[in-house]
Each structure stands twice: as C-alpha cells, then as structure tokens.
Amino acid sequence: MSSNTVRRIAALTAATALPAGLLMTGVGVANAADPACVQSSHDTKRDWSTVWVTHTYDKTVTAAEAAAGTNITYKIVVGTTGIGNPYVNTIRDYAPAGFGAPISAKVTAYHLAQGQVTEAVTPEPNGDGGWRVSSTGWFVNAGNPVTAEFTYRVPDNIAAGTKVTSGGIDVSGTVGVGTTKTGLTSCFTARAKNPGEAALGSLDGAGLGSTEGQLSSTGSISDVLGDTITRAINNGS
C-alpha cells in the first residue's frame, strides 16, 4: 500500500469519525454578548454640507466569532434619510492591524431600471493601510443605500479569545456625503477552530482539503466532506 493511500485512509477516518449530529446539522458555537466587543457601529452626518439632510454610515463585521485561518467580512453601508441624493464614488475600509489584502470585495447599489444590484469589484490599496473600491458614482437615496463588503482571511497568529477590532472607514463622493469616520469600527472575538474547521485543516495537510471556503461557527461540513471523500476515492482508484 502506497504512502499516499495510507494518508488518504487516515484523513478519511478522521473525517468520518466526526459526530453524526455535526455532519447533519453543522457546527454551532455559543457567543455571549460582550459590550466591550461590538460587531456594529453607526454614525451620522448632518450639517451645512449635507443641506441639513442626515447621511448615515454603518460598519458591521458579519460574525461575532471567527477562528484563525477562516474568512471574515466587513460590511459598510452609506445611506441618507432625507431628500438628498448623493453619489458615492469611493469607499475605503480599514481592517484590523495585521490583516492582509482583501480576498474579495463586492458592492450593492441602485441601478436604473434594475434596482439594487450586487457586483464583484476589485479592491485597491489606498496607500495608508486601507483598501478602497471605486466607481464613477453609486447613486444613494432614502430607500437605496450603497453597501460595500470586504472579505479578509483571519491571520493564523491570532490567539483564541483575542478581541479583534477593525479600523474605521472613509467615504468620498458628491458634496456632503464625503467623510472620514475613524471611530466607525467593528469587533469580533477570535475562537478556537470548531471540529469541522479542524477536520478540514487535517484534510488540507493530507492533500485532500481546500484552502478556500472554510466554515464559520454555524457552517455545515456535510457537503465538503462528501466531496472530499469522493475525490479521495477517485484519486486512489
């Protein structure tokens, strides 16, 4: 029996040893509310530059807890509550210290005759540690905010239990909507890898897993394991 076959069998044995409930329903990790680590923050702007119309700014991290090596997404929403119709042409995100470049980014904005449309965009370095997405102008009104989402990989050296706080945001556009919000931060708590993520890590080490699409604390691993086992059998045949 070849060494590759032995490694495949060992990896598959570890995968199939996972609890049946885990395979069927996914992994859940309880997270108590922590007032010192807030997922979302909100701010407004209302002055002469906005013609006394209130513009709103929100930043949210999409998971309260995340493990090192998994992906985390920051969502930035720019809106208005009044009759003003600003155009936003650049949104800049500032991730936590030590994070690398975004893995991906997308923007959801209003398009004439199409409504809200989500499109993948290419983030670019801002030169000051931030990352930006830009357009000739995303239309904003009271019913149609513009939303930018930046996805990053959580660095491997972040220890479980660490509270990870991002930087703020910066927005450019027509008069009034442009602003810098250094205090518009988001926080999540680093946690240990759950059994599904640990299993995927073992499969990666055996050459059977994937480095993409790691599971969140509530993800299901049944599809991943099913695909992995199929590929292992095919590779060994």
Side-chain angles (χ1 to χ4, degrees), residues 14 19 33 59 73 82 110 188 201 214 231:
K59 182 172 181 176
T73 298
Y110 177 81
F188 71 90
Q214 289 95 341
R231 286 188 287 116

Side-chain angles (χ1 to χ4, degrees), residues 15-81:
T16 55
L18 290 170
L22 174 60
L23 293 172
M24 295 300 294
T25 62
V27 180
V29 176
N31 178 51
D34 184 350
C37 188
V38 180
Q39 280 184 257
S40 301
S41 54
H42 172 81
D43 205 350
T44 61
K45 182 182 181 184
R46 186 175 187 271
D47 58 22
W48 63 269
S49 70
T50 69
V51 197
W52 305 108
V53 171
T54 300
H55 294 169
T56 61
Y57 306 86
D58 293 89
K59 182 172 181 176
T60 302
V61 62
T62 55
E65 295 182 336
T70 62
N71 297 340
I72 199 83
T73 298
Y74 293 91
K75 180 182 294 186
I76 298 168
V77 182
V78 181
T80 180
T81 62

Side-chain angles (χ1 to χ4, degrees), residues 4-217:
N4 285 341
T5 300
V6 171
R7 291 171 65 218
R8 290 190 183 99
I9 293 173
L12 292 175
T13 300
T16 55
L18 290 170
L22 174 60
L23 293 172
M24 295 300 294
T25 62
V27 180
V29 176
N31 178 51
D34 184 350
C37 188
V38 180
Q39 280 184 257
S40 301
S41 54
H42 172 81
D43 205 350
T44 61
K45 182 182 181 184
R46 186 175 187 271
D47 58 22
W48 63 269
S49 70
T50 69
V51 197
W52 305 108
V53 171
T54 300
H55 294 169
T56 61
Y57 306 86
D58 293 89
K59 182 172 181 176
T60 302
V61 62
T62 55
E65 295 182 336
T70 62
N71 297 340
I72 199 83
T73 298
Y74 293 91
K75 180 182 294 186
I76 298 168
V77 182
V78 181
T80 180
T81 62
I83 60 174
N85 298 324
Y87 281 83
V88 172
N89 57 42
T90 302
I91 298 176
R92 303 171 185 85
D93 180 56
Y94 294 86
F99 276 48
I103 296 171
S104 63
K106 59 184 179 181
V107 172
T108 302
Y110 177 81
H111 290 243
L112 185 63
Q114 299 180 66
Q116 290 275 315
V117 176
T118 300
E119 299 174 303
V121 292
T122 301
E124 298 179 345
N126 201 53
D128 58 358
W131 293 86
R132 69 177 184 270
V133 291
S134 301
S135 166
T136 54
W138 293 297
F139 174 79
V140 177
N141 65 16
N144 293 288
V146 58
T147 301
E149 297 178 62
F150 296 80
T151 298
Y152 303 85
R153 186 177 187 275
V154 179
D156 291 327
N157 61 355
I158 293 181
T162 303
K163 300 184 190 313
V164 184
T165 302
S166 74
I169 71 166
D170 189 89
V171 178
S172 298
T174 53
V175 175
V177 76
T179 188
T180 299
K181 300 286 186 183
T182 58
L184 204 71
T185 62
S186 301
C187 177
F188 71 90
T189 301
R191 57 167 173 79
K193 290 184 178 181
N194 62 41
E197 291 157 346
L200 287 177
S202 298
L203 295 176
D204 282 339
L208 297 172
S210 171
T211 57
E212 298 180 358
Q214 289 95 341
L215 300 177
S216 71
S217 61

